[in-house]
Amino acid sequence: MTDLSRESVEKAASRIRSHIHRTPVFTCQALNDIVGSELFFKCENFQKVGAFKARGALNAVLSMSDGISEVVTHSSGNHGAALAWAAGLRGMNCHVVVPKDASKFKRAAMVRYGANLVDCGSDLASRETKLAEFLERSHARFIPPYDDPYIIAGQGTATLELMEKVSDLDQIWVPVGGGGLASGAILASDGRVEIVGAEPELADDAYQSMKTGKRESPRDPITIADGLRSSLGDQTFEILHRACTTIALVAEAEIVGAMRMVWEHMKIVIEPSSAVTLAAILRYPDLVKKKVGIVLSGGNVSYASAN
Amino acid sequence: MTDLSRESVEKAASRIRSHIHRTPVFTCQALNDIVGSELFFKCENFQKVGAFKARGALNAVLSMSDGISEVVTHSSGNHGAALAWAAGLRGMNCHVVVPKDASKFKRAAMVRYGANLVDCGSDLASRETKLAEFLERSHARFIPPYDDPYIIAGQGTATLELMEKVSDLDQIWVPVGGGGLASGAILASDGRVEIVGAEPELADDAYQSMKTGKRESPRDPITIADGLRSSLGDQTFEILHRACTTIALVAEAEIVGAMRMVWEHMKIVIEPSSAVTLAAILRYPDLVKKKVGIVLSGGNVSYASAN
């Protein structure tokens, strides 16, 4: 049972404030007209390392006691880059266990931020085995990608900032992969704003878990939204389940369509994982209230391959 | 001989202020590191209609006397959309003579803003003939795309805002097509900041004109930078020539590479015409000073086709 609260998010916010960007909140009349609501986009694609993951990783790294010189994690991209960046700020080494089929663009980014990459297979079991092997032969501290109180609190700061900027939102939509961003949003909101999750149909473990009331294993997730292939952890499941979080599912073509709408109307680059929220808003108009926040989670996509 | 001055730009700025966006100025550490200078990007891709052209078109429309109910222009895209948008604000009809090979994406945008499209061939002569025919049988007022004092003064307001936001720039780089943006920049700068133009090799009439000292006819311009296929007009040539403007030429592959760098590092969508400046900065490091403004002219490119 986690004892995380809004206060944990506020503490994370003061801890990381001087190193991260307070990203802008964009609006777009054309999208408002299409949806029929007022939309407020929190642009974490402009965040350090191009994704909200910088927040949680930095909060975790800055919360560690002195004397640790190495960290390790597993990641298909953004969390790995974020941890390498955050570790660099404290002069630590960072290792990342990376699935072989991770986006080349994201692999290159992790290396650019100083990560040492350790290859593994594409399924979760392979990730976990490789990580366990690595931890056995090193002194590195494991920083999980989402199922960790410091990570969750850190990710919550994106929602906290959005609520500070637009005070009277009816709801906030966030993408759900491992559930770190969504859990952080629920803590930050503390019941003041409804938090709605969106998830690809092809990686629907959070949807299934909310339905059955227990943590469901994922199918082999092959969605284009590569940041959302993870499944909920114990802590993120608990937070989402306790809040009775609605999860809206979207198809792959809807994700691509929504991504394209954001690129073309808002002139900003978002990655597929960021587009699931708008895709869900377009698919389920009955779920959508009048004044709606949307966390655009990241912008790390190659112009050449859209992956 | 034009009697335009910085004051004309300031007047335009007050005339259009309440209808246009004061677009943000972005910076990007990764691009600063690559170039070795401090870069300040004026994001006109976020402007109304997705391009700086909204400024000039609106200044022209708001400067017209009452009693005119129709305007007409020729355009491959952004000026047409801008004029349709501006005309709509005064309840006027807008007709646009459009080359058959104009970007479908931009044609659709013009229609969305209310323009009536009149097709013509892809060369300049065909545009002019079709426009002359149209003017003969209508009462519409012709609003030229760049060679017009109100258009030039309006476009200058982008540079004026950039100089207000970053007061000690060493130079400002702008793309050169018909020369409206560059001429406006020269007026706004009034000698305080060096204005440098960038142009595709495949549409190098401004470069040639500066070299010979007279207005050179363009070759048949087939550059991917579809906003820069126009050639200088009498007035824009005069302003650029009087200011001894340096024009830097770039190859097509350099334009695509620079556009990709902006998308990937800055997470914003710019169209090829906007990328010629960064392409030129990368190609001619000796021309580049320490604190550099760059006007990103527009973001109207389809995600699907990059055109």
Side-chain angles (χ1 to χ4, degrees):
Chain A
M1 177 80 187
T2 162
D3 59 355
L4 284 166
S5 66
R6 182 177 165 99
E7 205 190 330
S8 322
V9 182
E10 286 166 345
K11 277 188 189 155
S14 14
R15 196 176 286 123
I16 66 178
R17 182 164 294 139
S18 60
H19 292 286
I20 60 153
H21 293 310
R22 193 172 182 95
T23 53
V25 175
F26 275 24
T27 59
C28 176
Q29 193 55 51
L31 291 181
N32 286 353
D33 291 345
I34 290 167
V35 171
S37 293
E38 255 191 301
L39 307 178
F40 297 86
F41 295 88
K42 176 69 172 165
C43 292
E44 288 293 296
N45 54 327
F46 296 144
Q47 188 49 269
K48 291 277 180 189
V49 316
F52 74 95
K53 296 274 186 178
R55 298 173 178 271
L58 183 62
N59 190 43
V61 164
L62 293 183
S63 302
M64 283 163 54
S65 49
D66 289 341
I68 295 162
S69 63
E70 288 190 85
V71 290
V72 62
T73 195
H74 58 86
S75 167
S76 66
N78 286 340
H79 174 62
L83 189 61
W85 166 78
L89 293 179
R90 284 194 71 177
M92 297 170 178
N93 293 322
C94 173
H95 310 274
V96 185
V97 174
V98 186
K100 280 180 300 193
D101 59 350
S103 141
K104 276 184 196 157
F105 184 72
K106 289 188 175 175
R107 292 175 76 97
M110 287 190 266
V111 171
R112 208 166 56 236
Y113 288 110
N116 165 46
L117 303 192
V118 181
D119 281 335
C120 71
S122 56
D123 56 310
L124 195 60
S126 166
R127 277 198 201 196
E128 284 170 355
T129 312
K130 192 62 100 179
L131 178 68
E133 282 171 22
F134 187 91
L135 282 168
E136 251 178 43
R137 57 182 168 80
S138 88
H139 297 287
R141 169 74 61 90
F142 173 45
I143 307 288
Y146 43 86
D147 211 28
D148 173 280
Y150 291 105
I151 296 289
I152 293 170
Q155 317 304 31
T157 61
T159 299
L160 200 66
E161 286 179 11
L162 174 54
M163 290 172 64
E164 282 168 10
K165 178 82 183 177
V166 191
S167 58
D168 52 349
L169 291 171
D170 297 316
Q171 56 186 188
I172 296 176
W173 290 67
V174 294
V176 179
L181 182 65
S183 297
I186 289 166
L187 297 175
S189 153
D190 201 20
R192 297 167 211 198
V193 184
E194 182 193 13
I195 305 298
V196 188
E199 197 177 35
E201 283 175 350
L202 294 182
D204 66 347
D205 73 287
Y207 174 83
Q208 298 297 346
S209 302
M210 292 304 111
K211 212 160 91 171
T212 63
K214 60 188 176 62
R215 191 154 82 86
E216 298 291 338
S217 302
R219 297 184 284 170
D220 188 17
I222 48 164
T223 170
I224 189 181
D226 61 337
L228 307 181
R229 291 176 192 157
S230 322
S231 49
L232 295 183
D234 288 330
Q235 298 173 58
T236 55
F237 167 74
E238 186 194 317
I239 295 171
L240 266 69
H241 186 243
R242 206 170 46 197
C244 302
T245 309
T246 300
I247 307 284
L249 296 181
V250 291
E252 297 293 291
E254 291 169 324
I255 298 172
V256 175
M259 183 168 79
R260 182 174 168 162
M261 285 177 86
V262 169
W263 288 41
E264 291 184 354
H265 287 296
M266 297 180 67
K267 315 298 180 192
I268 62 175
V269 173
I270 62 167
E271 57 184 279
S273 303
S274 293
V276 293
T277 44
L278 180 61
I281 283 170
L282 293 167
R283 176 158 167 179
Y284 304 101
D286 290 352
L287 289 182
V288 183
K289 297 192 173 156
K290 290 313 293 172
K291 209 162 171 179
V292 178
I294 295 174
V295 181
L296 294 176
S297 50
N300 291 322
V301 62
S302 162
Y303 162 74
S305 67
N307 190 10
Chain B
M1 176 82 187
T2 161
D3 58 354
L4 284 165
S5 65
R6 182 178 166 99
E7 205 190 330
S8 322
V9 181
E10 287 165 345
K11 277 188 189 156
S14 15
R15 196 176 287 124
I16 66 178
R17 183 163 293 140
S18 60
H19 293 285
I20 60 153
H21 293 310
R22 193 171 181 94
T23 55
V25 175
F26 274 25
T27 60
C28 177
Q29 193 55 51
L31 291 181
N32 286 353
D33 292 346
I34 291 168
V35 171
S37 294
E38 256 191 299
L39 308 179
F40 297 86
F41 295 88
K42 177 68 171 167
C43 292
E44 289 292 297
N45 53 327
F46 296 143
Q47 188 50 270
K48 291 279 181 188
V49 314
F52 74 94
K53 296 275 187 177
R55 298 172 179 271
L58 183 61
N59 189 44
V61 163
L62 293 183
S63 302
M64 282 163 53
S65 49
D66 288 341
I68 296 163
S69 64
E70 286 190 87
V71 290
V72 61
T73 194
H74 58 87
S75 167
S76 65
N78 286 339
H79 174 63
L83 188 62
W85 166 77
L89 293 179
R90 285 194 71 176
M92 297 170 179
N93 293 324
C94 173
H95 310 273
V96 185
V97 174
V98 186
K100 280 180 299 191
D101 60 350
S103 143
K104 276 183 195 159
F105 184 73
K106 289 189 174 173
R107 293 176 76 94
M110 288 189 267
V111 170
R112 209 166 54 239
Y113 289 109
N116 165 46
L117 304 192
V118 181
D119 281 333
C120 70
S122 55
D123 57 310
L124 195 62
S126 166
R127 279 200 200 194
E128 285 170 354
T129 312
K130 191 62 96 177
L131 178 69
E133 283 170 22
F134 187 90
L135 282 168
E136 251 176 44
R137 57 183 168 79
S138 87
H139 297 287
R141 168 74 61 92
F142 173 45
I143 308 287
Y146 44 85
D147 212 28
D148 173 280
Y150 291 105
I151 296 289
I152 292 170
Q155 317 303 32
T157 60
T159 299
L160 200 67
E161 286 179 12
L162 176 53
M163 291 172 64
E164 282 167 9
K165 179 81 182 179
V166 191
S167 58
D168 53 349
L169 292 170
D170 297 316
Q171 54 187 189
I172 296 175
W173 290 66
V174 294
V176 179
L181 183 64
S183 298
I186 289 166
L187 296 176
S189 154
D190 200 21
R192 297 166 212 200
V193 183
E194 181 193 12
I195 305 298
V196 188
E199 197 178 33
E201 285 175 348
L202 293 182
D204 65 347
D205 72 288
Y207 174 83
Q208 298 297 345
S209 301
M210 291 304 111
K211 213 161 90 172
T212 62
K214 60 190 177 61
R215 192 153 81 85
E216 298 291 338
S217 301
R219 296 183 285 170
D220 188 18
I222 49 167
T223 171
I224 188 181
D226 62 335
L228 307 182
R229 291 178 191 154
S230 323
S231 49
L232 296 183
D234 289 328
Q235 298 173 60
T236 56
F237 167 74
E238 184 194 319
I239 294 171
L240 266 70
H241 186 244
R242 205 169 46 196
C244 303
T245 309
T246 299
I247 307 285
L249 295 182
V250 290
E252 296 294 290
E254 291 170 323
I255 297 172
V256 175
M259 182 168 79
R260 183 174 168 163
M261 286 177 84
V262 168
W263 287 42
E264 291 186 353
H265 288 295
M266 298 182 64
K267 315 299 180 192
I268 61 175
V269 174
I270 62 167
E271 57 183 279
S273 304
S274 292
V276 293
T277 44
L278 180 61
I281 283 170
L282 293 166
R283 175 159 169 179
Y284 305 100
D286 291 351
L287 288 182
V288 184
K289 297 193 174 157
K290 292 312 293 172
K291 208 160 173 185
V292 178
I294 296 175
V295 181
L296 293 176
S297 49
N300 291 323
V301 61
S302 163
Y303 163 76
S305 66
N307 191 9

